[in-house]
mmCIF file of all heavy atoms in Angstrom:
data_model
loop_
_atom_site.group_PDB
_atom_site.id
_atom_site.type_symbol
_atom_site.label_atom_id
_atom_site.label_comp_id
_atom_site.label_asym_id
_atom_site.label_seq_id
_atom_site.Cartn_x
_atom_site.Cartn_y
_atom_site.Cartn_z
ATOM 1 N N ILE B 200 27.950 26.979 14.762
ATOM 2 C CA ILE B 200 29.200 26.241 15.008
ATOM 3 C C ILE B 200 30.232 26.583 13.932
ATOM 4 O O ILE B 200 31.400 26.842 14.234
ATOM 5 C CB ILE B 200 28.909 24.720 15.056
ATOM 6 C CG1 ILE B 200 28.127 24.406 16.335
ATOM 7 C CG2 ILE B 200 30.196 23.908 14.964
ATOM 8 C CD1 ILE B 200 27.510 23.024 16.374
ATOM 9 N N MET B 201 29.795 26.613 12.662
ATOM 10 C CA MET B 201 30.719 26.912 11.567
ATOM 11 C C MET B 201 31.330 28.309 11.739
ATOM 12 O O MET B 201 32.488 28.542 11.410
ATOM 13 C CB MET B 201 30.002 26.860 10.203
ATOM 14 C CG MET B 201 29.360 25.530 9.812
ATOM 15 S SD MET B 201 30.415 24.059 9.920
ATOM 16 C CE MET B 201 31.582 24.368 8.596
ATOM 17 N N ALA B 202 30.528 29.230 12.271
ATOM 18 C CA ALA B 202 30.973 30.628 12.358
ATOM 19 C C ALA B 202 31.794 30.910 13.608
ATOM 20 O O ALA B 202 32.570 31.869 13.635
ATOM 21 C CB ALA B 202 29.759 31.557 12.320
ATOM 22 N N ASN B 203 31.611 30.114 14.665
ATOM 23 C CA ASN B 203 32.174 30.504 15.951
ATOM 24 C C ASN B 203 33.254 29.596 16.532
ATOM 25 O O ASN B 203 33.862 29.951 17.537
ATOM 26 C CB ASN B 203 31.041 30.626 16.984
ATOM 27 C CG ASN B 203 30.152 31.814 16.689
ATOM 28 O OD1 ASN B 203 30.555 32.963 16.863
ATOM 29 N ND2 ASN B 203 28.942 31.549 16.208
ATOM 30 N N VAL B 204 33.440 28.401 15.949
ATOM 31 C CA VAL B 204 34.455 27.510 16.512
ATOM 32 C C VAL B 204 35.760 27.695 15.721
ATOM 33 O O VAL B 204 35.761 27.532 14.497
ATOM 34 C CB VAL B 204 33.985 26.037 16.459
ATOM 35 C CG1 VAL B 204 35.089 25.114 16.971
ATOM 36 C CG2 VAL B 204 32.713 25.866 17.276
ATOM 37 N N PRO B 205 36.845 28.068 16.401
ATOM 38 C CA PRO B 205 38.109 28.271 15.700
ATOM 39 C C PRO B 205 38.583 26.983 15.015
ATOM 40 O O PRO B 205 38.382 25.879 15.546
ATOM 41 C CB PRO B 205 39.089 28.665 16.820
ATOM 42 C CG PRO B 205 38.241 29.012 18.004
ATOM 43 C CD PRO B 205 36.956 28.276 17.849
ATOM 44 N N ARG B 206 39.191 27.134 13.880
ATOM 45 C CA ARG B 206 39.756 26.004 13.124
ATOM 46 C C ARG B 206 38.714 24.948 12.720
ATOM 47 O O ARG B 206 39.071 23.809 12.431
ATOM 48 C CB ARG B 206 40.897 25.324 13.890
ATOM 49 C CG ARG B 206 42.178 26.142 13.976
ATOM 50 C CD ARG B 206 43.145 25.570 14.992
ATOM 51 N NE ARG B 206 42.563 25.460 16.327
ATOM 52 C CZ ARG B 206 42.466 26.477 17.185
ATOM 53 N NH1 ARG B 206 42.937 27.663 16.871
ATOM 54 N NH2 ARG B 206 41.894 26.310 18.361
ATOM 55 N N ILE B 207 37.440 25.334 12.722
ATOM 56 C CA ILE B 207 36.389 24.374 12.345
ATOM 57 C C ILE B 207 36.594 23.913 10.895
ATOM 58 O O ILE B 207 36.169 22.814 10.508
ATOM 59 C CB ILE B 207 34.976 24.998 12.545
ATOM 60 C CG1 ILE B 207 33.881 23.931 12.515
ATOM 61 C CG2 ILE B 207 34.679 26.093 11.533
ATOM 62 C CD1 ILE B 207 33.725 23.153 13.782
ATOM 63 N N GLU B 208 37.270 24.756 10.096
ATOM 64 C CA GLU B 208 37.506 24.409 8.680
ATOM 65 C C GLU B 208 38.484 23.237 8.533
ATOM 66 O O GLU B 208 38.586 22.647 7.468
ATOM 67 C CB GLU B 208 38.000 25.636 7.888
ATOM 68 C CG GLU B 208 39.331 26.217 8.333
ATOM 69 C CD GLU B 208 39.230 27.118 9.585
ATOM 70 O OE1 GLU B 208 38.121 27.236 10.167
ATOM 71 O OE2 GLU B 208 40.263 27.674 9.986
ATOM 72 N N ASN B 209 39.175 22.880 9.618
ATOM 73 C CA ASN B 209 40.123 21.754 9.542
ATOM 74 C C ASN B 209 39.488 20.408 9.867
ATOM 75 O O ASN B 209 40.148 19.377 9.772
ATOM 76 C CB ASN B 209 41.289 21.982 10.510
ATOM 77 C CG ASN B 209 42.050 23.249 10.171
ATOM 78 O OD1 ASN B 209 42.060 23.673 9.018
ATOM 79 N ND2 ASN B 209 42.670 23.858 11.166
ATOM 80 N N VAL B 210 38.231 20.431 10.323
ATOM 81 C CA VAL B 210 37.580 19.170 10.696
ATOM 82 C C VAL B 210 36.281 19.005 9.911
ATOM 83 O O VAL B 210 35.843 19.927 9.226
ATOM 84 C CB VAL B 210 37.280 19.116 12.222
ATOM 85 C CG1 VAL B 210 38.555 19.289 13.032
ATOM 86 C CG2 VAL B 210 36.247 20.167 12.611
ATOM 87 N N THR B 211 35.689 17.810 10.025
ATOM 88 C CA THR B 211 34.397 17.560 9.376
ATOM 89 C C THR B 211 33.290 17.719 10.408
ATOM 90 O O THR B 211 33.378 17.148 11.498
ATOM 91 C CB THR B 211 34.357 16.123 8.817
ATOM 92 O OG1 THR B 211 35.423 15.973 7.880
ATOM 93 C CG2 THR B 211 33.037 15.829 8.127
ATOM 94 N N VAL B 212 32.271 18.499 10.067
ATOM 95 C CA VAL B 212 31.100 18.616 10.939
ATOM 96 C C VAL B 212 30.056 17.624 10.437
ATOM 97 O O VAL B 212 29.892 17.432 9.232
ATOM 98 C CB VAL B 212 30.563 20.061 10.948
ATOM 99 C CG1 VAL B 212 29.263 20.154 11.742
ATOM 100 C CG2 VAL B 212 31.618 20.994 11.545
ATOM 101 N N SER B 213 29.379 16.957 11.368
ATOM 102 C CA SER B 213 28.481 15.856 11.034
ATOM 103 C C SER B 213 27.091 16.097 11.620
ATOM 104 O O SER B 213 26.958 16.647 12.709
ATOM 105 C CB SER B 213 29.082 14.572 11.615
ATOM 106 O OG SER B 213 28.155 13.528 11.605
ATOM 107 N N VAL B 214 26.053 15.666 10.889
ATOM 108 C CA VAL B 214 24.676 15.795 11.379
ATOM 109 C C VAL B 214 24.169 14.426 11.854
ATOM 110 O O VAL B 214 24.504 13.390 11.274
ATOM 111 C CB VAL B 214 23.740 16.343 10.285
ATOM 112 C CG1 VAL B 214 24.135 17.771 9.926
ATOM 113 C CG2 VAL B 214 23.734 15.471 9.042
ATOM 114 N N HIS B 215 23.394 14.435 12.930
ATOM 115 C CA HIS B 215 22.835 13.199 13.493
ATOM 116 C C HIS B 215 21.441 13.549 14.027
ATOM 117 O O HIS B 215 21.316 14.155 15.081
ATOM 118 C CB HIS B 215 23.744 12.690 14.613
ATOM 119 C CG HIS B 215 23.263 11.417 15.246
ATOM 120 N ND1 HIS B 215 23.939 10.216 15.127
ATOM 121 C CD2 HIS B 215 22.166 11.146 15.999
ATOM 122 C CE1 HIS B 215 23.284 9.267 15.787
ATOM 123 N NE2 HIS B 215 22.201 9.813 16.326
ATOM 124 N N CYS B 216 20.409 13.159 13.281
ATOM 125 C CA CYS B 216 19.049 13.581 13.636
ATOM 126 C C CYS B 216 18.141 12.378 13.895
ATOM 127 O O CYS B 216 18.369 11.293 13.379
ATOM 128 C CB CYS B 216 18.455 14.437 12.521
ATOM 129 S SG CYS B 216 19.429 15.932 12.219
ATOM 130 N N HIS B 217 17.108 12.618 14.697
ATOM 131 C CA HIS B 217 16.088 11.604 14.967
ATOM 132 C C HIS B 217 14.749 12.069 14.426
ATOM 133 O O HIS B 217 14.512 13.264 14.276
ATOM 134 C CB HIS B 217 16.029 11.310 16.463
ATOM 135 C CG HIS B 217 17.173 10.452 16.917
ATOM 136 N ND1 HIS B 217 17.109 9.084 16.927
ATOM 137 C CD2 HIS B 217 18.428 10.775 17.306
ATOM 138 C CE1 HIS B 217 18.270 8.589 17.334
ATOM 139 N NE2 HIS B 217 19.095 9.596 17.573
ATOM 140 N N ASN B 218 13.862 11.087 14.162
ATOM 141 C CA ASN B 218 12.668 11.356 13.364
ATOM 142 C C ASN B 218 11.376 11.477 14.165
ATOM 143 O O ASN B 218 10.298 11.248 13.633
ATOM 144 C CB ASN B 218 12.533 10.249 12.302
ATOM 145 C CG ASN B 218 11.726 10.706 11.110
ATOM 146 O OD1 ASN B 218 11.782 11.873 10.741
ATOM 147 N ND2 ASN B 218 10.964 9.797 10.526
ATOM 148 N N ASP B 219 11.466 11.875 15.431
ATOM 149 C CA ASP B 219 10.262 11.894 16.282
ATOM 150 C C ASP B 219 9.115 12.706 15.709
ATOM 151 O O ASP B 219 7.953 12.370 15.914
ATOM 152 C CB ASP B 219 10.626 12.381 17.680
ATOM 153 C CG ASP B 219 11.580 11.424 18.362
ATOM 154 O OD1 ASP B 219 12.750 11.350 17.964
ATOM 155 O OD2 ASP B 219 11.140 10.707 19.263
ATOM 156 N N LEU B 220 9.442 13.801 15.013
ATOM 157 C CA LEU B 220 8.380 14.624 14.417
ATOM 158 C C LEU B 220 8.350 14.488 12.892
ATOM 159 O O LEU B 220 7.723 15.285 12.211
ATOM 160 C CB LEU B 220 8.558 16.092 14.814
ATOM 161 C CG LEU B 220 8.371 16.394 16.310
ATOM 162 C CD1 LEU B 220 8.691 17.849 16.604
ATOM 163 C CD2 LEU B 220 6.943 16.074 16.749
ATOM 164 N N GLY B 221 9.055 13.484 12.355
ATOM 165 C CA GLY B 221 9.060 13.289 10.896
ATOM 166 C C GLY B 221 9.955 14.280 10.169
ATOM 167 O O GLY B 221 9.817 14.474 8.961
ATOM 168 N N LEU B 222 10.896 14.904 10.878
ATOM 169 C CA LEU B 222 11.705 15.967 10.274
ATOM 170 C C LEU B 222 13.180 15.606 10.116
ATOM 171 O O LEU B 222 13.996 16.473 9.778
ATOM 172 C CB LEU B 222 11.570 17.251 11.115
ATOM 173 C CG LEU B 222 10.155 17.849 11.181
ATOM 174 C CD1 LEU B 222 10.089 18.971 12.209
ATOM 175 C CD2 LEU B 222 9.737 18.367 9.803
ATOM 176 N N ALA B 223 13.564 14.341 10.377
ATOM 177 C CA ALA B 223 14.989 13.989 10.410
ATOM 178 C C ALA B 223 15.705 14.291 9.090
ATOM 179 O O ALA B 223 16.812 14.842 9.085
ATOM 180 C CB ALA B 223 15.157 12.516 10.765
ATOM 181 N N THR B 224 15.086 13.941 7.970
ATOM 182 C CA THR B 224 15.745 14.171 6.683
ATOM 183 C C THR B 224 15.896 15.667 6.412
ATOM 184 O O THR B 224 16.969 16.134 6.016
ATOM 185 C CB THR B 224 14.943 13.484 5.557
ATOM 186 O OG1 THR B 224 14.930 12.076 5.820
ATOM 187 C CG2 THR B 224 15.561 13.727 4.195
ATOM 188 N N ALA B 225 14.836 16.419 6.650
ATOM 189 C CA ALA B 225 14.892 17.872 6.415
ATOM 190 C C ALA B 225 15.929 18.515 7.332
ATOM 191 O O ALA B 225 16.683 19.395 6.905
ATOM 192 C CB ALA B 225 13.520 18.490 6.639
ATOM 193 N N ASN B 226 15.999 18.096 8.589
ATOM 194 C CA ASN B 226 16.991 18.642 9.509
ATOM 195 C C ASN B 226 18.406 18.326 9.044
ATOM 196 O O ASN B 226 19.281 19.192 9.068
ATOM 197 C CB ASN B 226 16.775 18.077 10.922
ATOM 198 C CG ASN B 226 15.524 18.646 11.581
ATOM 199 O OD1 ASN B 226 14.961 19.631 11.113
ATOM 200 N ND2 ASN B 226 15.088 18.027 12.670
ATOM 201 N N SER B 227 18.627 17.078 8.617
ATOM 202 C CA SER B 227 19.960 16.697 8.154
ATOM 203 C C SER B 227 20.370 17.536 6.942
ATOM 204 O O SER B 227 21.501 18.017 6.856
ATOM 205 C CB SER B 227 19.992 15.210 7.783
ATOM 206 O OG SER B 227 19.700 14.424 8.911
ATOM 207 N N LEU B 228 19.431 17.720 6.008
ATOM 208 C CA LEU B 228 19.752 18.505 4.811
ATOM 209 C C LEU B 228 20.019 19.966 5.180
ATOM 210 O O LEU B 228 20.900 20.604 4.596
ATOM 211 C CB LEU B 228 18.612 18.401 3.789
ATOM 212 C CG LEU B 228 18.425 17.014 3.161
ATOM 213 C CD1 LEU B 228 17.161 16.982 2.300
ATOM 214 C CD2 LEU B 228 19.633 16.602 2.314
ATOM 215 N N ALA B 229 19.268 20.488 6.157
ATOM 216 C CA ALA B 229 19.497 21.880 6.585
ATOM 217 C C ALA B 229 20.899 22.009 7.175
ATOM 218 O O ALA B 229 21.603 22.995 6.928
ATOM 219 C CB ALA B 229 18.433 22.299 7.604
ATOM 220 N N GLY B 230 21.326 21.005 7.950
ATOM 221 C CA GLY B 230 22.678 21.019 8.515
ATOM 222 C C GLY B 230 23.747 20.935 7.437
ATOM 223 O O GLY B 230 24.780 21.604 7.502
ATOM 224 N N ILE B 231 23.481 20.122 6.420
ATOM 225 C CA ILE B 231 24.434 19.977 5.317
ATOM 226 C C ILE B 231 24.530 21.301 4.532
ATOM 227 O O ILE B 231 25.621 21.749 4.186
ATOM 228 C CB ILE B 231 24.013 18.796 4.404
ATOM 229 C CG1 ILE B 231 24.246 17.470 5.151
ATOM 230 C CG2 ILE B 231 24.773 18.814 3.087
ATOM 231 C CD1 ILE B 231 23.624 16.247 4.493
ATOM 232 N N MET B 232 23.372 21.941 4.301
ATOM 233 C CA MET B 232 23.384 23.235 3.613
ATOM 234 C C MET B 232 24.184 24.270 4.417
ATOM 235 O O MET B 232 24.770 25.186 3.852
ATOM 236 C CB MET B 232 21.955 23.745 3.404
ATOM 237 C CG MET B 232 21.180 23.012 2.337
ATOM 238 S SD MET B 232 21.976 23.057 0.705
ATOM 239 C CE MET B 232 21.151 24.491 -0.014
ATOM 240 N N ALA B 233 24.180 24.109 5.744
ATOM 241 C CA ALA B 233 24.895 25.059 6.605
ATOM 242 C C ALA B 233 26.385 24.718 6.703
ATOM 243 O O ALA B 233 27.121 25.440 7.377
ATOM 244 C CB ALA B 233 24.255 25.089 7.980
ATOM 245 N N GLY B 234 26.825 23.633 6.074
ATOM 246 C CA GLY B 234 28.260 23.353 6.042
ATOM 247 C C GLY B 234 28.689 21.986 6.533
ATOM 248 O O GLY B 234 29.864 21.641 6.427
ATOM 249 N N ALA B 235 27.773 21.187 7.088
ATOM 250 C CA ALA B 235 28.163 19.842 7.529
ATOM 251 C C ALA B 235 28.513 18.996 6.307
ATOM 252 O O ALA B 235 27.918 19.152 5.240
ATOM 253 C CB ALA B 235 27.033 19.200 8.323
ATOM 254 N N ARG B 236 29.477 18.100 6.457
ATOM 255 C CA ARG B 236 29.887 17.256 5.337
ATOM 256 C C ARG B 236 29.909 15.778 5.705
ATOM 257 O O ARG B 236 30.580 14.966 5.065
ATOM 258 C CB ARG B 236 31.254 17.708 4.795
ATOM 259 C CG ARG B 236 31.202 19.013 3.992
ATOM 260 C CD ARG B 236 30.333 18.869 2.737
ATOM 261 N NE ARG B 236 30.188 20.137 2.026
ATOM 262 C CZ ARG B 236 29.188 21.003 2.219
ATOM 263 N NH1 ARG B 236 28.238 20.733 3.102
ATOM 264 N NH2 ARG B 236 29.127 22.117 1.530
ATOM 265 N N GLN B 237 29.201 15.419 6.778
ATOM 266 C CA GLN B 237 28.988 14.011 7.111
ATOM 267 C C GLN B 237 27.558 13.887 7.614
ATOM 268 O O GLN B 237 27.086 14.739 8.367
ATOM 269 C CB GLN B 237 29.966 13.539 8.184
ATOM 270 C CG GLN B 237 29.674 12.109 8.670
ATOM 271 C CD GLN B 237 30.678 11.598 9.686
ATOM 272 O OE1 GLN B 237 31.840 11.386 9.380
ATOM 273 N NE2 GLN B 237 30.218 11.413 10.927
ATOM 274 N N ALA B 238 26.858 12.809 7.191
ATOM 275 C CA ALA B 238 25.494 12.567 7.667
ATOM 276 C C ALA B 238 25.461 11.205 8.339
ATOM 277 O O ALA B 238 25.850 10.199 7.733
ATOM 278 C CB ALA B 238 24.511 12.607 6.508
ATOM 279 N N GLU B 239 25.012 11.186 9.595
ATOM 280 C CA GLU B 239 24.842 9.913 10.297
ATOM 281 C C GLU B 239 23.428 9.432 10.065
ATOM 282 O O GLU B 239 22.463 10.131 10.397
ATOM 283 C CB GLU B 239 25.158 10.070 11.790
ATOM 284 C CG GLU B 239 26.596 10.543 11.979
ATOM 285 C CD GLU B 239 27.172 10.232 13.353
ATOM 286 O OE1 GLU B 239 26.452 9.664 14.208
ATOM 287 O OE2 GLU B 239 28.344 10.548 13.558
ATOM 288 N N VAL B 240 23.325 8.226 9.530
ATOM 289 C CA VAL B 240 22.043 7.721 9.039
ATOM 290 C C VAL B 240 21.939 6.223 9.303
ATOM 291 O O VAL B 240 22.930 5.568 9.634
ATOM 292 C CB VAL B 240 21.931 7.963 7.514
ATOM 293 C CG1 VAL B 240 21.818 9.454 7.202
ATOM 294 C CG2 VAL B 240 23.124 7.357 6.772
ATOM 295 N N THR B 241 20.722 5.685 9.143
ATOM 296 C CA THR B 241 20.533 4.229 9.192
ATOM 297 C C THR B 241 19.701 3.813 7.981
ATOM 298 O O THR B 241 18.925 4.602 7.450
ATOM 299 C CB THR B 241 19.783 3.770 10.462
ATOM 300 O OG1 THR B 241 18.466 4.345 10.454
ATOM 301 C CG2 THR B 241 20.507 4.174 11.729
ATOM 302 N N MET B 242 19.865 2.564 7.588
ATOM 303 C CA MET B 242 19.075 2.025 6.491
ATOM 304 C C MET B 242 17.623 1.906 6.951
ATOM 305 O O MET B 242 17.362 1.466 8.081
ATOM 306 C CB MET B 242 19.642 0.644 6.149
ATOM 307 C CG MET B 242 19.398 0.233 4.735
ATOM 308 S SD MET B 242 20.288 1.243 3.533
ATOM 309 C CE MET B 242 19.018 1.372 2.275
ATOM 310 N N ASN B 243 16.702 2.319 6.120
ATOM 311 C CA ASN B 243 15.262 2.291 6.413
ATOM 312 C C ASN B 243 14.895 3.197 7.589
ATOM 313 O O ASN B 243 13.773 3.127 8.089
ATOM 314 C CB ASN B 243 14.755 0.870 6.708
ATOM 315 C CG ASN B 243 15.027 -0.104 5.580
ATOM 316 O OD1 ASN B 243 15.213 0.296 4.434
ATOM 317 N ND2 ASN B 243 15.066 -1.397 5.885
ATOM 318 N N GLY B 244 15.844 3.999 8.053
ATOM 319 C CA GLY B 244 15.542 4.889 9.174
ATOM 320 C C GLY B 244 15.289 4.169 10.485
ATOM 321 O O GLY B 244 14.585 4.689 11.349
#
Side-chain angles (χ1 to χ4, degrees):
Chain B
I200 290 167
M201 300 309 292
N203 291 289
V204 177
R206 289 167 303 279
I207 195 79
E208 63 280 4
N209 299 333
V210 302
T211 301
V212 174
S213 167
V214 295
H215 181 113
C216 300
H217 284 270
N218 204 34
D219 296 71
L220 294 175
L222 297 171
T224 298
N226 288 346
S227 298
L228 292 173
I231 289 168
M232 287 302 266
R236 286 297 175 267
Q237 174 177 293
E239 300 202 358
V240 292
T241 63
M242 206 67 220
N243 303 338

